[in-house]
Each structure stands twice: as C-alpha cells, then as structure tokens.
Amino acid sequence: MGDRKKREEYTLEIEKEAEMELAEYHQSQDNNDIDDEYRSRPWTKHLTIRGIIASLVIGVMYSVIVMKLNLTTGLVPNLNVSAALLAFVFISTWTKLLEKAGIVSKPFTRQENTIIQTCAVACYSISFGGGFGSYLLGLNKKTCEQVGSNTEGNSPGSYKEPGLGWMTSFLFLVSFVGILALVPLRKIMVIDYKLTYPSGTATAVLINGFHTPKGDKMAKKQVRCFTQFFSISFLWAFFQWFYSGSGECGFGRFPTFGLKALKQSFYFDFSMTYIGAGMICSHLVNLSLLLGAVLSWGIMWPLIDERSGEWFPKTLPESNMKSLNGYKVFISIALILGDGLYNFLKILYFTGQSLYTALNKNHPNSSSNDKNRPIDELQRNEIFIRENIPLWVACIGYILLSVISIICIPLMFPDLKWYFVLVAYILAPSLSFCNAYGAGLTDMNMAYNYGKVALFVLAALLGRDHGVVAGLVGCGLIKSIVSISSDLMHDFKTGHLTLTSPRSMLLSQLIGTAIGCVVAPLTFFLFYRAFNVGDPNGKYKAPYALIYRNMAILGVEGFSALPQHCLQLCYGFFGFAIIANLLRDICPQKVGKWIPLPMAMAVPFLVGAYFAIDMCVGSLAVFVWHNLNGNKASLMVPAVASGLICGDGLWILPSSILALAGIDPPICMNFFPTQSS
C-alpha cells in the first residue's frame, strides 16, 4: 500500500542518516581508543546527578505544557525531539556557567543526553497518558452532571471525585507494570527483528548530530534561536494576561473574522502554544483540523441548531446529551472509533504478516552473518546485549506489581472486580507485544484503541450500575500498560543507536516514571484548583473526559443513548473514517497525501475552530520558511516551535499562582457591535 511504502522508505532514510551521524561521531574521536572507551565505561556512568536534575526541570516544564494541551483540546504533538534539544540546552548552559566560575565539569556525552531525554519524556508522558483529560477526569461529578442525570446508563452515583492520593496511587500501580512487561523481549524487538521505531531513530539521529564538531555548531544556533523565541513567547503571554480580565476577555477572544464568526469559535486567539504545535505537526494534520472545524462549526452545528424543536426539544439546554451537545459528542466518537478501528485492524494485519515472515525466515549462522555487518552495528549490538537485564528481575517485578494491583485497584474502585484486573494483567504482555511490534513498524501507538476495547467490553458486561466506572478504569489500566511498554521500546531503539546501556535506559525510565507519577497529579490539581476545568464554554473544556464517559454509556445502553437522527449521522461519519483511511492507503502518494485524517477532524467537532486556526498559522509559517530557505528551516523549526511552546507554557505557573491567590487581571478587553444611534 502507498502509505506503508512511503513510511518504510522514510524509516530506511532515517536509519541511513543515523549510520552517517554515527560514522561522523567516530571520525571525530580517537579511533584507536573508541572501542576501549565504550567497553570500559560502566553503565552507571551514563546516569549523573546533573542529568537527573535536568530531567526533573524539563519533565516538570513539559508536564505543565502537556497538561494544558490535554485539558484544552486533548491534542498533544510528539515532543520527544524537543526534549532532546532542551536536554542539550540545559547541560550546555550548566557547563558554561561552571567554566566561568572556574569549575571543571565532566564532558557532556550523547549517552547522558539520551538518558536525560528518556527520563524527561517518561515524566511528562504520565501527564498525557495518565487520563487526566480523558478517562480519569470522566469519572468526576461535573462530567457526570454534564452528561445529564436523566441520561439512561449514567447512574447518579457513578462518579469519583479527583483526589491527589488515589490518583497518585493508581498511576504508580499501572505505570511500572508497563515498564516491566516487555523488558525480556528487547533484544528480539530491536536486534533480531530490526524494528525501526521511527520516532526513537529520529531522536537518536538528533542526539548523535549534537555530539559532532559540525553538530555542535548547529546546536549552538538552535540554542540561541530557542532562547529568543522562548523569551518572546513568555513576554507575550505575560502581556496578554493584563487584558484577560474575568470571563471572555482579552486577545484569546479577538474577533479576527468578525463577531458572527466569533460566536461559532472562528477566531485567532494568539496562542503561541498552538502555533508552535502547528509547526511540529504535519501540514495534513493541521489542514484536517481546519476541515473538521469548517464542516462542524461552520456548517453542521448551525444547521442542526435550526432543527431544535423538531429533532430535540427547544427547552433542553445546549449541554444536554439529547440536545446539540449530543450530536457534537457522538459524531466525534463515530469518527474516532472509525479511524481507530481501521488502523487497529491494519496494524494487527501488518504485525501478523511481519511476524509470520520473520518466524519462517531461515536465519543464517550469527557468527558468519556478523562478518558482513558494519563495525558500528556490531559495536551497538555488543553493548546492547552485554548490558543484560536479568529475566528474573522483570518476571518477579511484573508478578509482584500485578498482585498488588489486583488487591488495591478493586479497593479504590469497587465497581471493578478483582478477577477483571487479573484477566487484564494476564492479557497485558501479549497486547503490549502486539502494540510495540506495530509501533516499531509504523510509529503508530494503538494503546488508546486497546483501552477503548476494554472500555466497551467492561461497560457491556457490568451494565448500568457498575459499567461506566468499571469501563473507564479498565480502559486506563490496559491503555497505560500497553502504551508505556511501547514507549520503552522506542527508548531502547534510541539507546541502541547512541551506544547507551539498556540498564541505564531502564533505570532512567523508572526514575522518570516515578517523578511523573508525583508531578502529573500535582500539575493536574494546579489547573483543577486555579481554573474551571470541564466547563464546555470555558478555555479548559477537557473534551475527551466527556467523550470517554459517553463511550462508556454507549457500551452500557447501546444506541438508545443517542439523540434523534444522530445514529444515521454517526453511521455516515464512521463509514467516512474507514473509507478515508482506505483511500489514503491504496491511492498513489500524490493523491493519498491530500486525503484528510478523520482522527484529527474529530477534535474540533467538540472543542471549536480557534485552535485549528492557530495551528494552521504555524503550518503556514513552516511552509513559507521552507520555500524561502529550506535548509535553515529544517534546522531551526524544532527550536522555534519548542521556544514558543515552552515560553507560553511556563507562564501557566505564575498565572495559576495569581489565580489561586485571587488576583485578577486589571483590564477586560472585549468587543461588541456598534450601536446605531
């Protein structure tokens, strides 16, 4: 299929680039000493105190940024490359300050760079994957009431208010199991099957590039660029705050296209975070978002609203699930499920096909095969295999954590019985392997789709009284284990290409996850206490909390939960999602690259059009820059995007503190139509 061929060509190109970067790095070293250096360096030297401090700072900063994205739109770009750049910025600044103070510091190696990136990503991944904007928040009372107390399947007592204690405990229980699930299979996945893991490989290319003479000059330019745009973004966020008043005020509600367009959420809100995210995401993702916004808020919702009184009673508030909000939520779900089902089946097919080919291939003798391999590959394989992680450690750890979870999770959530948790932990390693293998081939993490399957199964089995809570918790349980296992394999691939010890990689993942399990709930409560999270008319809509709760209700009640004519619309959009994905795979590349992504189209259906406009502005900036100076754009776009995201994201901390202290902005800038005399 065209899309698969394109992806394979791309991953091969990345691997070739990694080989070139590695060769350049070796040429810059003393070739007589390089082998002895890597063979004699213990894995514990890859972990440093300054590295852990850097990981903590980057992890906390990105946790705040990711939590903001999670609670506003639920759309979070891949920030791994940005984290690697920030790691380089942090340690480079650290060493320069020490040099000025006359203190000699250790050289900054690519192994330490890899460890910092791995630890930081593990930390902030909990903020995104921990369910704070989806299944865990979907348990709270506000979301339950927003669905409607009279909605069938939404039992009045089927909620659990957010709590720092139980959220932290739940994250510790489910996150560490995922790390241990696939550790015994790391050699098979990375060396034997030679899975590419494109994101992990791309991160390794960047890190290897930093630590060459040519790459060092490039990195200095990126650091300066990052610092400039970080400062601009932070100062702009600070300036905007003065005009944001209370309510719908400030630049965030600027009627760029007129007041009528503003009512339908078509405006540019000057968000540096989403402009930066648009620079990172592909043009296809951004255009798909804009198409979804125009189709929903520009056409469908005004037309359906005109049918009030025919399709649904006029007396119902817009937020009621039998009113306009029901169409927004369930049509979004139809697009998400159609896209997820197609990709889930596609990945399973490719995974099975690839596994069958690999298992039936006659492998030549490894010693004779090694003679034909490049020396760099042999060296990487030697280090990766030499630093063995004992099988018994992974097995005993997995069993022990599973037993604790089987006891503790039903105590936290009585609706989810212990035997369902037991079945989940028995199936988790197999599901994790399928997902990690598929991610290695395609770079697509299908963890949320495995979680949705668990959600529907548990909701259907347990019915009205217990189905909603059990479904949401079971979804989080499966999703967390499967997702973290896949992320670890991406990290192992990065470590393999940067000659980083698997033991140090595993330990950094454990440290980062432990930090994340503490930082993520604290970050969530910073937003939860300071802002009105879950308000459908506010900035922090948390759309996926409502979507996941309604998925659980759909599993309990079936199609009776849908408002009038909504089922027919859902059928149409579900079919559209499958057909669009199928056409993208079977059509030639020049045609397939223009077919929109249903998953991206679904996000603005519920959230609004404003952020899609922001992201398209970022995409337009990248497009123009590449046309004017393609080489410079390729070098600087990640630095500019990271600076914009981090500067705007960092302002969240002081603005949250001001909100908690009851200090409001002094000015409310608002817009009204001219009054005729």
Side-chain angles (χ1 to χ4, degrees), residues 23 28 55 87 100 103 154 195 299 312 326 330 386 438 446 532 594 654-655:
S28 68
S55 302
K100 288 181 180 179
I103 301 172
N154 189 40
L195 296 175
I299 300 173
F312 53 89
F330 288 112
R386 182 189 68 197
M446 293 283 108
N532 189 9
W594 294 106
S655 67

Side-chain angles (χ1 to χ4, degrees), residues 85 88-89 92-93 96 218-228 636 639:
L85 172 63
F88 187 87
V89 170
S92 298
T93 306
K96 283 180 182 178
M218 174 191 74
K220 287 178 180 177
K221 292 179 181 178
Q222 288 179 312
V223 169
R224 284 195 297 270
C225 189
F226 169 84
T227 306
Q228 290 170 359
M636 291 302 178

Side-chain angles (χ1 to χ4, degrees), residues 20-21 24-25 28 85 88-89 92 108 113 205-224 635-636:
M20 292 171 64
E21 296 283 4
E24 184 180 350
Y25 179 84
S28 68
L85 172 63
F88 187 87
V89 170
S92 298
F108 181 40
N113 203 156
V205 170
L206 182 73
I207 292 172
N208 284 334
F210 283 156
H211 299 274
T212 62
K214 179 182 175 182
D216 187 52
K217 293 179 182 178
M218 174 191 74
K220 287 178 180 177
K221 292 179 181 178
Q222 288 179 312
V223 169
R224 284 195 297 270
L635 176 67
M636 291 302 178

Side-chain angles (χ1 to χ4, degrees), residues 50 53-55 57-58 85-95:
R50 70 181 182 184
I53 294 172
S55 302
V57 172
I58 297 168
L85 172 63
L86 270 186
F88 187 87
V89 170
F90 190 95
I91 298 298
S92 298
T93 306
W94 179 303
T95 52

Side-chain angles (χ1 to χ4, degrees), residues 156-370:
S158 60
Y159 63 84
K160 187 177 180 68
E161 284 293 270
L164 187 62
W166 74 259
M167 281 183 160
T168 305
S169 302
F170 180 76
L171 291 174
F172 269 103
L173 288 172
V174 300
S175 299
F176 285 94
V177 175
I179 295 175
L180 298 174
L182 292 185
V183 166
L185 302 178
R186 64 184 179 85
K187 176 181 175 293
I188 294 172
M189 307 285 265
V190 175
I191 295 179
D192 294 345
Y193 289 155
K194 295 183 179 179
L195 296 175
T196 52
Y197 290 102
S199 292
T201 303
T203 306
V205 170
L206 182 73
I207 292 172
N208 284 334
F210 283 156
H211 299 274
T212 62
K214 179 182 175 182
D216 187 52
K217 293 179 182 178
M218 174 191 74
K220 287 178 180 177
K221 292 179 181 178
Q222 288 179 312
V223 169
R224 284 195 297 270
C225 189
F226 169 84
T227 306
Q228 290 170 359
F229 281 89
F230 175 89
S231 304
I232 291 169
S233 181
F234 183 83
L235 292 173
W236 173 244
F238 176 55
F239 174 75
Q240 283 189 91
W241 178 81
F242 284 97
Y243 298 90
S244 57
S246 58
E248 298 179 350
C249 305
F251 288 92
R253 296 282 296 177
F254 193 89
T256 322
F257 309 108
L259 292 172
K260 286 186 177 180
L262 178 69
K263 290 180 180 179
Q264 295 299 327
S265 76
F266 283 94
Y267 57 90
F268 177 57
D269 73 345
F270 297 91
S271 170
M272 296 297 107
T273 296
Y274 284 109
I275 293 173
M279 296 178 75
I280 293 174
C281 292
S282 68
H283 296 312
L284 181 59
V285 169
N286 296 324
L287 291 174
S288 298
L289 288 167
L290 187 60
L291 176 62
V294 171
L295 182 62
S296 56
W297 291 89
I299 300 173
M300 289 179 57
W301 304 158
L303 289 175
I304 292 175
D305 193 40
E306 289 179 1
R307 301 294 186 275
S308 62
E310 298 176 27
W311 288 16
F312 53 89
K314 283 186 176 182
T315 54
L316 289 177
E318 188 179 318
S319 59
N320 191 287
M321 282 298 112
K322 293 291 185 180
S323 181
L324 180 59
N325 204 42
Y327 295 91
K328 295 178 183 179
V329 171
F330 288 112
I331 293 174
S332 299
I333 290 173
L335 277 172
I336 291 168
L337 291 180
D339 186 273
L341 179 64
Y342 177 86
N343 285 292
F344 182 64
L345 295 175
K346 184 177 79 170
I347 297 302
L348 283 181
Y349 170 75
F350 286 146
T351 300
Q353 186 183 53
S354 181
L355 272 174
Y356 178 81
T357 304
L359 292 172
N360 287 276
K361 188 185 292 183
N362 293 322
H363 295 285
N365 182 269
S366 60
S367 60
S368 61
N369 193 35
D370 285 349

Side-chain angles (χ1 to χ4, degrees), residues 26 37 152 168 273-274 342 407 413 430 496 517 540 583 586:
H26 283 182
E37 177 192 352
E152 294 181 3
T168 305
T273 296
Y274 284 109
Y342 177 86
I407 295 170
F413 307 98
S430 301
H496 178 247
C517 288
Y540 296 94
L583 288 175
I586 64 176

